[in-house]
């Protein structure tokens, strides 16, 4: 039971050894341990600050990216609108040119048709004239086969000429 009851000397030497241990730990171990803990705490704080900075930079980049996308969409829409206007203008010009060219072709065709019609009419008149002369000549030859009919025709013709 003596082991369980502490003696004063035992308590004294245990306290002295404990104090020496505390002083030695304070002198050699606590400063490096505390400085290591402080350094680690500073490193963690720096890492957190850098993470906050990186997060802010990412948000700024995201905002810039969205702004650039909006501007690009606006520019794309403007370019598409301009392209549509140019296309519409070119199509309208092409339609006008085609209509004008078509009108010219139609007018030229009408003139050609009229010229050919006039030429055909002149040819028909000429042929009718020739045919009429041939028919009249044939009729006259048949009627004027004898002298008496010839004299009567000449007399008729002279009488008509005198009346005019």
């Amino acid at each position: 039971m003596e082991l369980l009851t502490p003696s004063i000397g035992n308590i004294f030497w245990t306290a002295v050894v404990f104090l020496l241990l505390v002083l030695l730990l304070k002198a050699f171990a606590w400063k490096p341990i505390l400085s290591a803990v402080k350094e680690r705490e500073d490193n963690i704080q720096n890492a957190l600050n850098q993470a906050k900075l990186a997060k802010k930079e990412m948000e700024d980049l995201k905002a810039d990216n969205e702004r650039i996308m909006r501007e690009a969409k606006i520019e794309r829409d403007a370019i598409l609108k301009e392209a549509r206007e140019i296309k519409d203008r070119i199509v309208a010009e092409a339609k006008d040119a085609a209509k004008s060219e078509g009108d010219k072709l139609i007018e030229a065709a009408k003139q050609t048709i009229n010229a050919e019609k006039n030429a055909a009419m002149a040819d028909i008149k000429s042929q009718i004239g020739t045919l009429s002369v041939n028919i009249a000549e044939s009729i006259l030859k048949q009627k004027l086969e004898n002298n008496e009919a010839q004299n009567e025709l000449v007399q008729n013709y002279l009488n008509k000429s005198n009346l005019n």
Side-chain angles (χ1 to χ4, degrees), residues 93-107:
E93 288 174 1
K95 282 182 181 177
D96 291 344
K99 185 178 183 316
S100 172
E101 190 65 29
D103 291 345
K104 285 179 186 176
L105 288 173
I106 289 170
E107 187 60 34

Side-chain angles (χ1 to χ4, degrees), residues 3 20 33 37 48 50-51 60 80 93 109-110 134 145 147 152:
L3 287 177
L20 277 176
I33 290 173
V37 168
L48 288 174
Q50 287 178 354
D60 291 346
L80 287 174
E93 288 174 1
K110 283 180 182 178
N134 287 340
E145 283 183 353
N147 280 338
E152 190 179 317

Side-chain angles (χ1 to χ4, degrees), residues 4-162:
L4 293 176
T5 56
S7 67
I8 296 267
N10 219 0
I11 291 176
F12 173 74
W13 286 112
T14 303
V16 168
V17 169
F18 181 73
L19 284 176
L20 277 176
L21 181 64
V22 167
L23 288 176
L24 281 174
L25 284 176
K26 186 176 180 183
F28 295 107
W30 286 37
K31 282 186 183 180
I33 290 173
L34 287 177
S35 67
V37 168
K38 175 72 172 150
E39 184 179 330
R40 183 168 174 156
E41 185 180 313
D42 290 344
N43 286 340
I44 291 171
Q45 189 61 43
N46 285 339
L48 288 174
N49 289 340
Q50 287 178 354
K52 285 179 184 177
L53 271 174
K55 183 178 179 183
K56 184 172 179 0
E57 286 178 9
M58 287 299 290
E59 288 173 357
D60 291 346
L61 286 174
K62 185 178 178 183
D64 285 346
N65 197 13
E66 289 174 1
R67 180 186 51 81
I68 290 170
M69 289 296 286
R70 281 192 306 272
E71 290 173 0
K73 284 181 182 179
I74 290 169
E75 187 174 341
R76 180 200 67 196
D77 291 343
I79 290 171
L80 287 174
K81 181 182 177 188
E82 184 179 347
R84 277 190 220 105
E85 289 172 356
I86 290 171
K87 177 198 70 142
D88 291 343
R89 183 171 35 94
I90 289 172
V91 167
E93 288 174 1
K95 282 182 181 177
D96 291 344
K99 185 178 183 316
S100 172
E101 190 65 29
D103 291 345
K104 285 179 186 176
L105 288 173
I106 289 170
E107 187 60 34
K110 283 180 182 178
Q111 289 176 357
T112 303
I113 289 170
N114 281 337
E116 288 180 6
K117 177 180 149 187
N118 290 338
M121 290 298 284
D123 188 39
I124 289 172
K125 285 180 183 178
S126 170
Q127 287 178 5
I128 288 174
T130 304
L131 187 59
S132 296
V133 168
N134 287 340
I135 290 172
E137 185 180 325
S138 270
I139 292 173
L140 282 177
K141 277 184 185 179
Q142 286 178 359
K143 274 192 154 193
L144 299 178
E145 283 183 353
N146 61 34
N147 280 338
E148 203 175 289
Q150 286 178 7
N151 285 336
E152 190 179 317
L153 181 64
V154 169
Q155 200 61 22
N156 241 349
Y157 187 69
L158 287 175
N159 287 338
K160 284 183 185 177
S161 293
N162 286 336

